[in-house]
Amino acid sequence: MRSGLELALTACLFLAAAIVVTYPLVTRLGDSVLDRGDSFQVAWLLTWNTEHILSDPSTLFNAPVMYPVPYSLAYIEHMRGLLILFAPLYWLSHNPILAFNLTLVASYAATGLGCFLFMRLMMPRTASGWCGAFVAGLLFAFSPWRLLGFGHVEQVAAWWIGPMLFCLIRGLEQPRWRYWVGFMAFTALQTLISYYYIIVCGLLILAVVVYALVTHRTTWKTSGLLVGSASLVVLIVHLPLMLVYLEDRPDQLVTPDEQHLYSLQTRQDLLGSPHSMAIREYIFGQAIQVPTTERALDAGIVSYLLAGIGFVLAFSRSRQYRAVAITVAGSILVSLLLSLGPYVIVGNQQIAAPFGLLKMVPGLGSLRAPARLWQAGLFGIAVLGGGAAAWMATRMQSKIAMPVCVVVCSLIILPLRTAPDVSLSTVTIPGVYNWIRISLPEDAVVLQAPLTLLDSSGLPGLAESEKMLDSLYYQRRTVNSYLAYMPPDQLARQRILARFPADETLACAQALGVTHILVDRANLNEKAVIALADTPLTRSVKLTELYRDDRFSLFALDSSPVELATVPPVCERIG
């Protein structure tokens, strides 16, 4: 089969698998999401990035959410690397939900295809080689861990890791400019998607360089020049945006205890997805519920079995295969150790873990979820699993090897459909948003009430991410936000604003510069509805109703000065 036709057909297979695992999303691409919280947050972020794609960092990071905090975008990753796919889709559709969903589905397919290309170019050009590469791509792109992250498209989008590593290997063996340029470009593109990929790619690059040096496929000089040049390019690409993060230092808002929450903690975490519940019960006797999806570092029982077979088989073959297996196993182990987070608990003692060393690197202390570094381990497992699949395919006739591989893989992929507790959430655009966009002044600041909090800590609830997305439709600044980090003062303000329509809430809102409050009466509790209708409660700040329909009311805040005694101190400093 010609290489171009083979690549096109393989891409179609990966796309079909992506549609299956995200079903029924394909039936409602334009108005629904699979993860109501993070999907809205990332859709808003990518849309804001797209609309300010040529802006300088000061404009880009001054996003119109979490008002009045300056440079609010510095409290979340910018994910600009995703714009290669998202931006054209948004420009064509002007629909952030459609562009996000298409990016998500395409990311699953592109991640699998990238791993396939790496394995295909490294394996014999035979039917068994295709089977090994195809299985590796499936294991990497459609692991149960990725299927829990429908809202985190940046963690799904490991598009460039495969091409990056291929160019690295070829560049180490044959120092030609096209491989060097490809390696630098793919490394920069992948790390622009998420800062976690700086560590993930660094770990995989280190593994490849060690393998090439041990097997005498390159020299220290060549590897040093290539990796050093790529590091310089990545630094130059990232520096303009990184400076804002380093100046703002959101890592100061992340505690080791919070990082520990999003780290590998128990053996069951390695089979922690709902898809592996029965396997966990069989192996451990009792399956515990993994509290956060970030901790569900589940590569899938099939992946683990194939990787184990591939590792054992490598020792029955040549020295080169043994070197590959040992190097890959080493990268898996290091990835696992980093996923443990800043510390592990043994008995009643906290023992420092390797991830804590990353605190020494400026900016990397802000990485809240160490478990995401398991991506490097997933790639290693996919490589070993692909090797096992290729060996099995050699035992079949070449004419039937590829069809059998596709059928068997289909039987594995179909059960990995959307987990039962995940369903489509429909996005609606109320008429009041259009009214705000047309009627309110451009410098208006909107507070959407009620402001939802998870608990007394003041952390925003998932509903706040949808309100961020709403701001795209009415195009005004908003106090609402659902970002990765939150300054302490903003947490304090949110606790006050969540008490709407209390007197201190209105005084705080006015002091902050809020000009209008959009009230979703359907989500107000009965006590708040009664209080809103109680005129005496508005004595410090007068509310004037500008708009009302069967669900929403829009109020303008009186701009008259408020008595200082009624303004909470945390709002005074801003007002």
Side-chain angles (χ1 to χ4, degrees), residues 6-39:
E6 176 191 285
L7 181 61
L9 292 176
T10 305
C12 290
L13 290 174
F14 280 116
L15 182 59
I19 292 172
V20 168
V21 299
T22 58
Y23 188 83
L25 184 62
V26 69
T27 64
R28 302 288 297 274
L29 286 170
D31 63 359
S32 299
V33 294
L34 285 170
D35 186 332
R36 193 168 187 84
D38 293 315
S39 294

Side-chain angles (χ1 to χ4, degrees), residues 164-474:
M164 174 194 76
L165 294 179
F166 169 75
C167 288
L168 172 61
I169 291 176
R170 287 290 184 260
L172 292 172
E173 296 176 340
Q174 310 168 30
R176 296 180 182 174
W177 69 268
R178 64 176 180 270
Y179 294 131
W180 285 44
V181 171
F183 171 61
M184 295 176 196
F186 291 136
T187 305
L189 288 170
Q190 187 62 57
T191 54
L192 277 171
I193 292 176
S194 171
Y195 284 123
Y196 288 93
Y197 286 117
I198 293 178
I199 302 174
V200 171
C201 291
L203 180 56
L204 292 173
I205 288 169
L206 178 62
V208 169
V209 171
V210 168
Y211 163 75
L213 289 171
V214 169
T215 56
H216 305 292
R217 291 173 172 269
T218 190
T219 64
W220 284 96
K221 180 180 178 181
T222 300
S223 59
L225 284 173
L226 179 53
V227 175
S229 300
S231 301
L232 181 61
V233 169
V234 169
L235 179 62
I236 293 172
V237 169
H238 281 280
L239 192 59
L241 299 174
M242 266 183 141
L243 289 175
V244 180
Y245 288 104
L246 294 176
E247 180 180 352
D248 198 77
R249 295 306 300 273
D251 56 302
Q252 296 176 353
L253 306 175
V254 185
T255 65
D257 290 339
E258 184 178 6
Q259 291 176 323
H260 178 69
L261 178 65
Y262 299 105
S263 302
L264 173 67
Q265 295 185 21
T266 70
R267 292 176 299 168
Q268 291 205 29
D269 291 353
L270 295 173
L271 287 168
S273 74
H275 308 90
S276 300
M277 181 71 75
I279 301 294
R280 289 211 307 279
E281 290 180 351
Y282 177 78
I283 295 176
F284 301 105
Q286 181 180 4
I288 63 172
Q289 183 67 37
V290 177
T292 66
T293 57
E294 298 281 4
R295 270 181 51 188
L297 305 187
D298 191 354
I301 190 65
V302 174
S303 300
Y304 293 132
L305 291 174
L306 285 176
I309 294 171
F311 183 78
V312 172
L313 287 174
F315 283 87
S316 64
R317 307 179 76 175
S318 67
R319 180 188 173 193
Q320 177 183 339
Y321 281 98
R322 291 195 296 272
V324 170
I326 293 172
T327 305
V328 171
S331 68
I332 296 172
L333 178 60
V334 174
S335 176
L336 194 65
L337 291 174
L338 289 175
S339 299
L340 291 172
Y343 62 82
V344 294
I345 298 177
V346 179
N348 296 323
Q349 291 185 327
Q350 287 186 7
I351 300 176
F355 180 85
L357 297 174
L358 297 177
K359 287 278 188 179
M360 300 170 60
V361 183
L364 293 185
S366 64
L367 298 180
R368 186 174 63 162
R372 294 184 181 183
L373 303 181
W374 181 233
Q375 286 246 34
L378 290 178
F379 192 86
I381 290 171
V383 169
L384 291 176
W391 176 83
M392 294 177 186
T394 59
R395 300 302 187 261
M396 294 184 284
Q397 295 181 6
S398 58
K399 291 183 179 180
I400 66 169
M402 294 172 68
V404 169
C405 179
V406 172
V407 171
V408 172
C409 289
S410 298
L411 295 176
I412 296 172
I413 284 294
L414 288 176
L416 294 183
R417 294 175 56 169
T418 303
D421 58 340
V422 179
S423 58
L424 287 179
S425 298
T426 302
V427 180
T428 58
I429 306 174
V432 66
Y433 295 166
N434 189 54
W435 193 93
I436 291 174
R437 183 175 56 82
I438 295 174
S439 304
L440 295 192
E442 292 186 0
D443 61 350
V445 179
V446 177
L447 167 64
Q448 289 187 251
L451 194 152
T452 56
L453 305 179
L454 290 177
D455 49 42
S456 59
S457 67
L459 294 174
L462 293 179
E464 296 305 295
S465 65
E466 188 170 1
K467 293 170 185 174
M468 288 171 58
L469 186 70
D470 293 342
S471 68
L472 294 175
Y473 298 111
Y474 58 71

Side-chain angles (χ1 to χ4, degrees), residues 100 160 214 231 256-257 356 537 555 559 562:
F100 172 83
W160 309 112
V214 169
S231 301
D257 290 339
L537 284 176
F555 296 95
S559 59
V562 182

